[in-house]
């Protein structure tokens, strides 16, 4: 690969698995990814989703960090409007103190939940409007001088945990450029604005104390398998799983029902979400990633895999690392 590779671990809870099984799988993936040579692993904050176990994102990062030694770990991302900036500074300051030079803090402004869950979290619906100011307040808590007189993050102050702005629209690109922060675009599920967002970010980027030049991370889906037939079978299973997750309202559809829904207007939206997907043998996937990196004008790629079978899920990341000739972290 011409650019570094990272992983977005969706911390999924497979059929018949417990939450503990999901956590164990995340640890195993991180331990192997460290050996395989991936740059970093990120975990996303989601709430009220029975198939995703990364809601307490900082706690999961700490658990995985304690069971690995070198690979960078972080959030992709923490949904900052759900939290007070001081609280996140203290959490990630703690992580950075326990695991120096290994912790990233990716920030998003989406709720990561539905309306009922937002109310259960006591979230202010207008809090997303304060996102730019909250990012700056959080950054200051992690630096040497707080923006709030008399308030200091302990732990946190002086750790300088690197911030990343996550986005799926032009807003995130503009904010990351204005603040001089790295920008990660969620093209693995929201592909439409990728090229325009990256162009705006690179054009308007202003150097900062954290970053001298633009740094773009682009997301995509990857399913690598020993045969193309197996990869395509896994890809179909992944899309069927998404149908149940996004349209099922707690109900799991049969394969026949899922296929019918995939052909419906609602299903076409799910197919659109997987626009950027590298599926096939390792060589095919490697060629796709090389082309996608150029298309996205990316400095780094972060790959997600929705493979529902655990061993195939691990195997996909292993095959990608082998064909990309990654060096151990």
């Amino acid at each position: 690969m011409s650019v570094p590779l990272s992983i977005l671990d969706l911390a999924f809870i497979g059929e018949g698995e417990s939450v503990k099984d999901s956590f164990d799988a995340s640890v195993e993936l991180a331990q192997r990814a460290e050996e395989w040579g991936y740059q970093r692993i990120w975990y996303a904050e989601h709430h009220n989703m029975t198939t995703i176990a990364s809601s307490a994102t900082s706690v999961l990062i700490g658990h995985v960090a304690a069971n690995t030694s070198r690979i960078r770990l972080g959030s992709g991302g923490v949904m900052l409007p759900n939290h007070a900036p001081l609280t996140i500074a203290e959490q990630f300051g703690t992580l950075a103190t326990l695991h120096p030079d290994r912790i990233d803090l990716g920030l998003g402004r989406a709720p990561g939940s539905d309306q009922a869950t937002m109310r259960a979290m006591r979230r202010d619906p207008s809090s997303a409007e304060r996102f730019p100011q909250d990012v700056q307040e959080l950054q200051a808590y992690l630096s040497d001088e707080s923006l709030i007189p008399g308030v200091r993050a302990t732990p946190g102050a002086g750790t300088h945990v690197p911030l990343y702005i996550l986005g799926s629209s032009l807003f995130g690109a503009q904010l990351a450029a204005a603040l001089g922060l790295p920008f990660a675009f969620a093209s693995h599920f929201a592909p439409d604005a990728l090229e325009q967002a990256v162009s705006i970010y690179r054009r308007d980027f202003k150097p900062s104390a954290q970053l001298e030049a633009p740094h773009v991370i682009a997301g995509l889906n990857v399913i690598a398998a020993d045969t193309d037939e197996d990869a395509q079978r896994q890809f179909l299973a992944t899309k069927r799983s998404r149908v149940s997750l996004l349209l099922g309202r707690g109900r799991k559809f049969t394969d026949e029902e899922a296929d019918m829904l995939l052909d419906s207007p609602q299903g076409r939206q799910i197919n659109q979400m997987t626009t950027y997907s590298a599926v096939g043998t390792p060589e095919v996937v490697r060629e796709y990633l090389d082309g996608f990196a150029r298309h996205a004008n990316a400095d780094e790629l972060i790959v997600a895999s929705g493979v529902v079978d655990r061993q195939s899920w691990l195997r996909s990341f292993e095959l990608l690392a082998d064909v990309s000739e990654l060096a151990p972290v």
Side-chain angles (χ1 to χ4, degrees):
M1 283 294 300
S2 56
V3 299
L5 277 182
S6 298
I7 293 173
L8 176 63
D9 180 356
L10 300 174
F12 73 93
I13 305 168
E15 188 172 355
E17 289 187 340
S18 66
V19 171
K20 179 62 162 55
D21 292 331
S22 173
F23 293 156
D24 290 345
S26 288
V27 168
E28 182 178 5
L29 173 62
Q31 290 171 339
R32 295 194 183 191
E34 195 167 65
E35 298 170 1
W36 293 333
Y38 283 93
Q39 182 85 356
R40 71 185 91 238
I41 300 181
W42 281 356
Y43 307 90
E45 177 186 345
H46 292 282
H47 299 281
N48 196 31
M49 300 185 74
T50 59
T51 57
I52 296 180
S54 52
S55 54
T57 314
S58 61
V59 180
L60 179 57
I61 292 169
H63 175 62
V64 177
N67 286 278
T68 52
S69 59
R70 301 181 305 279
I71 193 167
R72 296 193 68 87
L73 301 165
S75 59
V78 160
M79 300 297 108
L80 190 54
N82 292 342
H83 311 277
L86 177 61
T87 299
I88 298 304
E90 291 168 342
Q91 291 177 4
F92 279 78
T94 299
L95 288 169
T97 301
L98 293 171
H99 310 283
D101 301 318
R102 295 184 58 203
I103 303 300
D104 302 325
L105 178 47
L107 300 167
R109 65 171 182 148
S113 60
D114 53 45
Q115 294 295 320
T117 307
M118 286 174 58
R119 289 192 292 272
M121 296 176 68
R122 307 297 193 267
R123 181 177 185 266
D124 180 353
S126 66
S127 55
E129 299 173 9
R130 300 192 300 270
F131 183 64
Q133 294 79 16
D134 285 352
V135 171
Q136 292 174 294
E137 182 180 336
L138 171 58
Q139 186 176 39
Y141 285 135
L142 294 168
S143 66
D144 299 313
E145 187 172 349
S146 170
L147 295 179
I148 310 300
V151 179
R152 180 179 174 88
T154 305
T159 58
H160 299 280
V161 177
L163 303 187
Y164 296 74
I165 299 298
L166 278 59
S168 57
S169 68
L170 305 185
F171 176 86
Q174 292 163 341
L175 179 61
L179 298 181
L181 295 174
F183 178 52
F185 192 86
S187 36
H188 62 293
F189 73 86
D192 291 348
L194 170 63
E195 294 172 86
Q196 187 179 5
V198 171
S199 177
I200 288 173
Y201 169 69
R202 290 192 177 279
R203 182 195 69 198
D204 296 342
F205 179 84
K206 297 178 180 178
S208 67
Q210 178 178 325
L211 195 65
E212 294 182 355
H215 186 85
V216 172
I217 304 175
L220 76 160
N221 304 286
V222 168
I223 299 178
D226 292 296
T227 67
D228 185 67
E229 292 76 16
D230 190 25
Q232 294 298 333
R233 177 188 60 78
Q234 294 178 35
F235 190 37
L236 178 57
T238 296
K239 290 193 285 187
R240 286 169 172 168
S241 177
R242 285 198 181 188
V243 168
S244 293
L245 174 65
L246 299 177
L247 304 179
R249 299 182 182 275
R251 173 192 170 195
K252 180 174 172 57
F253 294 112
T254 66
D255 289 349
E256 292 76 13
E257 290 171 332
D259 290 344
M260 289 179 62
L261 284 167
L262 282 170
D263 289 331
S264 72
Q266 293 168 300
R268 283 196 286 274
Q269 182 180 0
I270 291 174
N271 283 316
Q272 173 69 9
M273 291 170 65
T274 59
T275 296
Y276 294 123
S277 296
V279 181
T281 60
E283 293 75 16
V284 168
V285 168
R286 162 68 187 269
E287 183 177 356
Y288 185 99
L289 263 63
D290 283 339
F292 176 74
R294 293 190 295 270
H295 171 75
N297 195 11
D299 302 291
E300 182 180 337
L301 300 182
I302 188 163
V303 299
S305 177
V307 174
V308 295
D309 174 71
R310 278 294 179 197
Q311 292 308 309
S312 298
W313 177 72
L314 287 169
R315 179 66 173 157
S316 181
F317 290 119
E318 180 180 18
L319 289 171
L320 177 57
D322 286 344
V323 77
S324 301
E325 299 176 351
L326 302 180
V329 174

